[in-house]
Each structure stands twice: as structure tokens, then as C-alpha cells.
Amino acid sequence: MSFAELDHLCRRLEAMGHAQAMLGVDEAVNMPDGGAEKRAEAMSVLASMAHEMASAPHIADWIDKAENEDLDAAQKAAVAEFKRSYINRTCLSSDFVARQVNAALRCEQLWRQLRAKNDWKDFLPSFENIVLLAQEEAARRSEVLKLSPYDALVEQYDPGSRTTEITRVFADLKGFLKGFIPQALEAQSRRRAQHPLQAFAGPFPIEKQKALGLELMKAVGFDFHHGRLDVSHHPFCGGVPSDVRMTTRYRTDEFLSSLMGILHETGHGLYEQNLPHDLSHWPSMKARGMAMHESQSLFQEMQLSRRPEFWGFALPKAREILGLEGVTADDLLAHVHRVERGFIRVDADEATYPLHVILRFEIEQELVSGKLAAKDVPEVWDAKMREYLGLSTAGNYKDGPMQDVHWPSGAFGYFPSYTLGAMMAAQQWAAVERSIPDAAAQIAKGDFSAINAWRKENIWSKASMLSTPEIMQQATGEPLNAKYFEEHLKARYLA
């Protein structure tokens, strides 16, 4: 049976992917600088081997035959998703994949060294090479998939998403935020006049911050038998569903940026840990794209962990572990609910965050099309930061175009997922409140069991057996609707 052959291949690919994922985590967390060259070589060879294994010409025959076999619904879904993946894999040669992986790893390693030095000049040649490879990838995929070059890249992260629709949604959102952010800042100013922002007395030792993070991860449902928390230059959630590896970064002068980052990545981790365990090697049993993944991290961080009810149970733990003497819930929420125009995307509040994403979405389209040269990115970045957030990054490369790991690692087409995910998370929370009327009261008790059960039934268990629009329709009763995100922002920041 050809399906049996595909099933066996998927098991081998899962094993190969496991090895690649763990090498990637180790490279970011534990590897000494001296191991960089050989690690890049090893990972590029493995990537090439996996690509050859997954894109061999005879697999097309297996797929054709499997489509005509007597399969159950789950098997048919697996074949359909494998076929989609196979077509996308065959857009690229194994030689190109090896070349691209090697270049991306070396660029990312260089980025880690040079970002802290604000050294755009020495970073630029490596970045220019990454952009050229992204353009080549886009062209190769575009020809096969019959999509525009940029859409062909977006397809790798969010199957079915198209630039035209994303641009329309982002244009509306940008228009809304242009008026909303000044209103939110004014409302915040009024609140602070009555209740001044209280500084928290540091320093906050890293080991205590980690202890609080682990405590809250456990409370919201993270399974430490199948995952762990480490430190890296850029927070991420990696590994595999049976061994989820999360990272954060710490500052000793404050604790909230790290803690909220941990809770954000925990949302990713919960999704991975709660995907269907049986038949995990099938592509249909893996996470459904990055917008859905971001919806789960932002659901955890924004919809749950920034709620007043969340801090009803979390603040006593924070007092005990960090020694926050005299800090009230209102004191803490003033920080958690702050609106502030800032340079750094990962530290941005949920109101200004979409503008950081839209800026990158607009720039990377022009990079991929060739309309914008890599050397000119800082100038364009600065112009858009001035327009959208009233801030200048002129000469400040580390807080401008060098702040994210995505472009150095070759991830073009990823950024739209963040804001699409925020919109999806707000809509999912509205559905949770309809299904669990006392959800907020349960959060105040530190009880996430019913909420997680809803997420598992409606999101996590669906994996990639359905498309993102189908999952959203079934879970919330309607297609993606931006009104939920806008109403969420108004309720939280204008009250």
C-alpha cells in the first residue's frame, strides 16, 4: 500500500526533524562560540538529507496511489497535508536548502555578536546574502505554486494567507490604531494622575525570576515531564511536542519583561504539548501554521496573563518569591497594562505591537521584490518608525533593523502571523467567555483546567486536519473578525 510507504517515510522524517530541532536549540542555548562553524555545517547537511528524503520523485507516485486507496477520514487528511507539504518541498533543491541553512545559521551567529555592538556595517554583507537567498527561494516557490513571490513565502508559515487580504486587514487596523493609541495614552495619563506609577525595588536575581516563571508555567498547565525553560539571546519555543524547549532572557533591574515573555512562550508550548500524540508523525497532526501558533501564545499572554484576575492569584506568588513588599494589584497592573511607544517589538504593549509588525511586513515585501536594497533598510525603518510610533532609530541599529532574529535566520513572511494571531486570540477568548461564563473567576483562583479543555477541544486537537479559517469558524462560530481585537483594546485601555 502506498499509504503505508508514506506512513513509514513520515516516521523517518519525524525522527530527522527531532534531531534537527534539538541541535537548533542547543546551538542557541548551550553551544560555545567555537562550535559555530561545524554546527552550521552539520545542520545544513541534515537539512539537505531530510529535504532529499522528503522530496524524492517517487513520492509523487506514492501520493497519487494513496489518494485512490480506501482510507479513513484521518488518513485522507494526512495524505492531503503531505501532498501540500511535498509540493512546497519540491520547489527547492537539496543543494539550495543546504546553502540556505548554512548561510542563515552563520548570519544568526554573527547577529548575536554584532547586535550588542550596534555594528550594522559588519553585519550588512551577511544580511545581504540572506536577502538574496530569500529572493531566490521566493522566485523558485512562486514558479511552482503560481503565487506572487512574497505570497509563496507567507504560504510556508500560514497556508492560505495572501498578501492582498493581509494588507487590507492591516490597513484597517493601522487606521484604527492611529486614533486609538493617543486616546489610550490620554486615558493612561488620567489614571496615573490618580494612581502614580510605582517603581518596583530591584534588583531581581535571575534565579528568583526563573523560580517565579516556573511556578506560573506549572500553574497554567505546562508539563515539565515534556519540556523545560532555558536562556537564550532571543526568547523562543522550540524542540518537539514530546520535548518542548522554551527560552527567555532576564534583566535584573526589572522582572516583567522576562515573565511576560515566559508566559507568551508557554502558550506556544501548551499548543505543542497538546497536539494529538497518536500518529504525531503525520503532517496533519502538527501545528496549523504560525498565525494559529501565535494565537495560542498571545491567548496565554494577552487574554489570560494580563487580566486583573490572573494577578489575583499570581501576585501573592510574586510577593513570596521576589519580595515585592507593599506592591498592590493596581501597582502591578499599571505596568502590565501600560501603553508606551517603544523601539523593541518583543517588549511592546499589545496596542502598539501591531505597528511594529506592520512596519516589518511592509519592509520585507520590498526586500523580497528587490524594490528595497538591504543597505537601505535602516533609513526606511527609521522613516516608518517616525510615522507610526513617533520615534527615530537613526544610527540605532540594535533597536532598529537588527533587533529581531527572524531576518538573520532567513524567516521572511513570518511577521504577519503575530498580529493575525492577536486578532484570532481575542476572538477565541470571546468564544471562551460564551462557553464558560465564569472563566474570569476561574482564572482568579488559578484554575485553568476548563479554559485549557476548551482550547484542547477546539484548537489544539484539530492540529492541521483543518485549515486555519475552518478551525476558527468551528471554534468561534464565525470567520476571523477584527472587531474582537479592537473591542478588547478599548475595554482594557480606555476604561
Side-chain angles (χ1 to χ4, degrees):
M1 287 179 64
S2 292
F3 181 82
E5 291 171 313
L6 288 175
D7 182 77
H8 179 66
L9 173 63
C10 286
R11 290 188 185 278
R12 296 180 68 202
L13 290 173
E14 182 183 44
M16 185 73 81
H18 190 139
Q20 290 174 283
M22 290 307 169
L23 279 174
V25 169
D26 180 77
E27 187 266 343
V29 174
N30 295 313
M31 188 192 76
D33 291 343
E37 183 175 355
K38 282 298 181 181
R39 180 60 57 86
E41 180 182 328
M43 292 185 70
S44 66
V45 169
L46 285 175
S48 178
M49 291 171 60
H51 186 79
E52 288 178 359
M53 189 188 303
S55 61
H58 62 265
I59 295 175
D61 293 332
W62 292 355
I63 294 171
D64 288 342
K65 291 177 182 177
E67 288 180 318
N68 293 305
E69 291 174 351
D70 185 17
L71 305 177
D72 61 30
Q75 291 172 326
K76 289 178 180 178
V79 172
E81 186 61 17
F82 190 92
K83 182 177 182 178
R84 188 193 67 79
S85 299
Y86 178 75
I87 292 171
N88 277 276
R89 288 191 188 103
T90 55
C91 294
L92 308 178
S93 68
S94 57
D95 288 343
F96 175 82
V97 170
R99 184 158 50 95
Q100 189 178 45
V101 169
N102 188 288
L105 280 166
R106 298 307 302 273
C107 186
E108 184 178 337
Q109 291 159 0
L110 187 65
W111 168 79
R112 291 195 194 116
Q113 298 172 25
L114 298 182
R115 182 187 174 227
K117 301 176 183 178
N118 198 42
D119 189 348
W120 173 260
K121 180 181 177 182
D122 287 343
F123 175 69
L124 180 58
S126 183
F127 180 53
E128 286 176 326
N129 186 40
I130 292 296
V131 172
L132 288 173
L133 287 166
Q135 291 171 344
E136 184 177 349
E137 177 188 354
R140 288 170 179 254
R141 292 191 182 282
S142 175
E143 183 178 359
V144 175
L145 301 177
K146 308 305 178 187
L147 297 171
S148 72
Y150 187 71
D151 275 343
L153 296 181
V154 172
E155 176 73 10
Q156 308 314 304
Y157 300 102
D158 278 312
S161 289
R162 297 294 178 261
T163 305
T164 301
E165 180 61 17
I166 296 171
T167 299
R168 183 191 65 78
V169 171
F170 281 6
D172 291 343
L173 183 58
K174 188 162 59 172
F176 165 76
L177 292 173
K178 184 177 181 180
F180 172 79
I181 290 173
Q183 293 176 342
L185 288 169
E186 183 180 347
Q188 178 175 264
S189 180
R190 290 196 301 269
R191 289 193 299 272
R192 288 185 178 177
Q194 298 177 347
H195 189 103
L197 190 67
Q198 302 296 314
F200 300 145
F204 300 98
I206 289 174
E207 62 270 18
K208 291 188 176 182
Q209 290 191 57
K210 182 175 182 179
L212 177 60
L214 294 174
E215 183 76 13
L216 294 184
M217 286 171 67
K218 181 180 178 181
V220 302
F222 188 82
D223 178 4
F224 284 99
H225 292 293
H226 294 283
R228 57 178 287 128
L229 175 68
D230 290 296
V231 175
S232 68
H233 287 269
H234 192 95
F236 68 84
C237 176
V240 295
S242 60
D243 187 1
V244 173
R245 301 300 181 93
M246 287 174 34
T247 71
T248 190
R249 57 189 179 195
Y250 298 100
R251 290 171 46 182
T252 56
D253 61 324
E254 60 91 22
F255 68 93
L256 278 173
S257 63
S258 173
L259 182 60
M260 301 316 296
I262 287 172
L263 291 165
H264 176 97
E265 299 303 335
T266 299
H268 286 302
L270 288 172
Y271 187 16
E272 288 291 325
Q273 289 184 339
N274 286 278
L275 290 168
H277 294 174
D278 296 336
L279 306 173
S280 64
H281 59 293
W282 285 3
S284 53
M285 297 300 176
K286 301 185 186 305
R288 172 78 289 172
M290 292 316 302
M292 187 59 74
H293 231 305
E294 291 302 330
S295 80
Q296 296 313 288
S297 62
L298 292 168
F299 186 98
Q300 184 64 55
E301 179 192 357
M302 299 300 183
Q303 300 300 324
L304 299 185
S305 303
R306 292 183 186 268
R307 296 185 65 84
E309 294 86 356
F310 181 90
W311 289 99
F313 95 93
L315 183 54
K317 297 179 184 294
R319 286 198 188 108
E320 177 184 353
I321 295 172
L322 297 181
L324 297 177
E325 298 297 333
V327 174
T328 67
D330 285 341
D331 292 335
L332 198 143
L333 286 170
H335 288 271
V336 171
H337 289 171
R338 90 193 193 287
V339 177
E340 183 178 355
R341 296 183 175 100
F343 294 106
I344 305 300
R345 176 186 61 84
V346 295
D347 294 335
D349 59 86
E350 59 185 328
T352 60
Y353 190 102
L355 295 176
H356 289 269
V357 169
I358 292 169
L359 177 152
R360 290 153 173 79
F361 170 66
E362 293 172 349
I363 289 177
E364 68 179 14
Q365 286 181 77
E366 295 205 333
L367 282 171
V368 170
S369 70
K371 293 179 181 178
L372 176 65
K375 67 181 179 63
D376 296 324
V377 167
E379 181 181 354
V380 175
W381 186 291
D382 178 57
K384 289 183 179 292
M385 280 293 289
R386 288 173 182 268
E387 179 185 356
Y388 299 165
L389 291 166
L391 301 172
S392 174
T393 55
N396 183 7
Y397 309 111
K398 66 181 178 61
D399 293 336
M402 290 183 73
Q403 68 178 267
D404 296 303
V405 71
H406 302 65
W407 291 347
S409 65
F412 291 85
Y414 188 130
F415 279 116
S417 303
Y418 287 114
T419 289
L420 294 174
M423 296 164 63
M424 291 163 63
Q427 187 165 327
Q428 290 165 21
W429 172 252
V432 166
E433 286 192 303
R434 292 194 297 270
S435 179
I436 310 172
D438 66 337
Q442 292 184 26
I443 293 171
K445 298 175 184 177
D447 181 1
F448 295 87
S449 56
I451 294 171
N452 285 349
W454 184 95
R455 298 171 76 187
K456 186 167 186 174
E457 178 183 355
N458 291 282
I459 306 294
W460 300 337
S461 66
K462 305 301 181 184
S464 286
M465 291 180 282
L466 300 173
S467 69
T468 297
E470 288 171 336
I471 293 173
M472 286 297 293
Q473 178 71 48
Q474 289 190 10
T476 71
E478 62 181 301
L480 181 62
N481 188 336
K483 76 173 185 179
Y484 293 101
F485 182 60
E486 294 178 4
E487 289 175 355
H488 161 71
L489 292 180
K490 290 176 183 177
R492 177 167 287 178
Y493 297 104
L494 297 185

